[in-house]
Amino acid sequence: MAGSERDWRYIGHLLACRSGSLCEGCGKPLVPGARELSIHHRQPRGMGGTDRSEAHFLSNLLLLCAGSTRRLAGVAGCHGAVEAYRENAERRGLLVRHGLDPAAEPVTLASGRRVLLADDGPFYLPPADGPLYGNLGLAR
Ligand SMILES: [Zn+2]
């Protein structure tokens, strides 16, 4: 079941719900189903023995723009930038080192907001070291 075309359509839909159909790297609006949209694995598959179903947890996936043209050598847009500037991408949580749990590693969104990515639904969670309601501006 995992990895089928239908699963990717569903996962893409969940990611679009989570991000409001915005690139989670630069905040650019993305058209669902368009070619310039790509699903990025924060912790790439095929390294460090990450098992297949785990690699598809929502916490390991980001919706990123990939530019309007796919080049032979790679992809453009934020997806290309993650690959080209891996150190910066790691600092922002767009890439996660092997041995770390993507669900516990915050991502800095284009707005500057730091979030954790939930596994069990298309939503962001506050980071462990942040205030629970900080993103809503509520006092505790
Ligand atoms: Zn982008």
Side-chain angles (χ1 to χ4, degrees):
M1 174 177 142
S4 76
E5 178 68 17
R6 185 170 165 210
D7 290 334
W8 281 114
R9 284 173 52 86
Y10 181 62
I11 287 170
H13 173 73
L14 291 177
L15 294 177
C17 288
R18 183 175 78 187
S19 70
S21 292
L22 303 178
C23 170
E24 293 181 299
C26 68
K28 171 182 138 176
L30 297 170
V31 179
R35 273 180 65 207
E36 64 263 27
L37 176 161
S38 71
I39 296 174
H40 164 68
H41 287 78
R42 299 170 70 203
Q43 202 168 63
R45 295 161 293 180
M47 292 170 61
T50 304
D51 98 11
R52 185 180 167 126
S53 56
E54 210 169 275
H56 292 91
F57 281 171
L58 287 180
S59 62
N60 193 37
L61 301 174
L62 289 169
L63 192 66
L64 294 181
C65 67
S68 54
T69 55
R70 277 174 192 277
R71 298 179 309 231
L72 201 59
V75 285
C78 285
H79 206 166
V82 164
E83 303 302 332
Y85 307 101
R86 299 182 70 86
E87 214 170 285
N88 185 46
E90 236 175 60
R91 270 198 302 275
R92 276 190 66 187
L94 305 181
L95 284 175
V96 174
R97 284 172 195 262
H98 283 281
L100 297 176
D101 177 9
E105 295 299 313
V107 173
T108 304
L109 300 172
S111 62
R113 184 180 163 201
R114 265 174 90 245
V115 296
L116 291 176
L117 306 180
D119 268 330
D120 53 353
F123 37 76
Y124 300 122
L125 300 169
D129 58 354
L132 186 54
Y133 299 113
N135 294 329
L136 301 176
L138 300 176
R140 289 227 286 167

